[in-house]
Amino acid sequence: MPEPIALCFSGGKDSCLALQELRRQGRFEVVELVTTVTDAFDRVSMHGVRRSLLREQADSIGLPLTEVVVPPEPSNVVYEREMGKAFAKLRQRGISRVGFGDLFLEDLREYRVRQLAEAGLQCEFPIWHTPTDELARTFIRDGFHALTVCVNPAVLPVSFAGRAFDDAFLADLPSGVDPCGENGEFHTFVFDGPIFDRSIAVDLGELTERDGFGFCDLLPAGSAIPAKAVAG
């Protein structure tokens, strides 16, 4: 029987590919998604995606969602305390492993291993060290669809926010920007693909810059006039 596993899930492409790969391997059954949400903004931390769209994703994927609520710019102490509470609950439910969509940042991997070990849990990294150019093409080839929701203006023009993650996007990336944004160059929201029962319908909202990042606000379809529908 496959072993139950939870997955730390941002709603972006790497999380979705990690979920797909865990299911493909057959060793584990993903039974829960865990996402960090910023309370003051009611949005997914770092990505800036509305909580309502995160919940639509989880519903379409067909998995329960644990939302770890933190304040804006939480200290490590606060972040680790709240994540520790969530991990303890997983352990109480008989889950001993948590998956991550990390690709090649060794220090981040080591941090996660240490953090989960303190909670009596183990880590799985199903797409670890997959070449990121190959992974980006696999994402597109497999029928996933995503929008870029956050960019780091230090390395990528803000105009990339709101663009579809497709072949044209990859072709336009400046030299030195990782095709999967693994160094924090950009983040995405996946609205359709093989792990979803239905597409998540969204409209493109306002482009803004705050806290050193550029964001494209995504709105539930039909909630903004005028707005550009990108999925339906």
Side-chain angles (χ1 to χ4, degrees):
M1 293 289 292
E3 179 182 347
I5 187 173
L7 175 68
C8 276
F9 181 79
S10 68
K13 58 181 174 25
D14 299 339
S15 294
C16 290
L17 285 168
L19 174 55
Q20 178 175 251
E21 178 61 17
L22 285 168
R23 288 176 168 175
R24 187 196 67 79
Q25 291 176 359
R27 298 167 48 217
F28 304 102
E29 179 186 359
V30 181
V31 296
E32 189 165 340
L33 305 176
V34 180
T35 306
T36 307
V37 176
T38 303
D39 55 4
F41 306 132
D42 212 29
R43 294 172 184 265
V44 177
S45 300
M46 282 303 299
H47 288 219
V49 171
R50 293 169 184 260
R51 206 172 188 174
S52 61
L53 294 177
L54 166 68
R55 291 173 176 174
E56 280 198 59
Q57 283 181 310
D59 185 61
S60 181
I61 291 170
L63 289 174
L65 173 68
T66 291
E67 299 174 11
V68 181
V69 181
V70 297
E73 300 183 12
S75 66
N76 281 344
V77 172
V78 170
Y79 172 79
E80 290 174 3
R81 181 189 68 210
E82 297 307 312
M83 290 298 290
K85 291 177 183 177
F87 292 149
K89 290 178 180 177
L90 294 177
R91 186 67 176 164
Q92 290 169 7
R93 294 198 292 275
I95 299 171
S96 61
R97 294 181 185 269
V98 178
F100 297 90
D102 299 314
L103 298 173
F104 59 71
L105 299 178
E106 294 284 353
D107 55 344
L108 181 57
R109 176 176 174 140
E110 291 171 4
Y111 170 77
R112 298 202 196 283
V113 170
R114 289 196 307 270
Q115 184 186 28
L116 267 72
E118 292 174 0
L121 300 172
Q122 294 178 288
C123 296
E124 289 292 329
F125 300 92
I127 55 175
W128 182 254
H129 276 176
T130 304
T132 52
D133 55 346
E134 173 187 323
L135 201 62
R137 302 292 179 187
T138 296
F139 179 87
I140 297 167
R141 185 190 66 237
D142 285 357
F144 284 101
H145 297 277
L147 294 164
T148 307
V149 291
C150 174
V151 302
N152 180 354
V155 295
L156 200 60
V158 173
S159 59
F160 274 78
R163 286 188 55 174
F165 184 82
D166 54 16
D167 290 329
F169 179 94
L170 295 175
D172 290 343
L173 286 178
S175 175
V177 172
D178 184 76
C180 286
E182 178 69 350
N183 296 304
E185 299 99 328
F186 62 90
H187 301 290
T188 57
F189 172 83
V190 183
F191 61 84
D192 201 2
I195 64 172
F196 292 93
D197 288 336
R198 65 181 185 282
S199 176
I200 311 301
V202 296
D203 291 334
L204 292 181
E206 185 180 8
L207 277 176
T208 59
E209 289 190 60
R210 63 180 185 274
D211 302 324
F213 292 91
F215 294 90
C216 178
D217 192 15
L218 297 186
L219 308 168
S223 62
I225 300 175
K228 178 183 177 183
V230 295

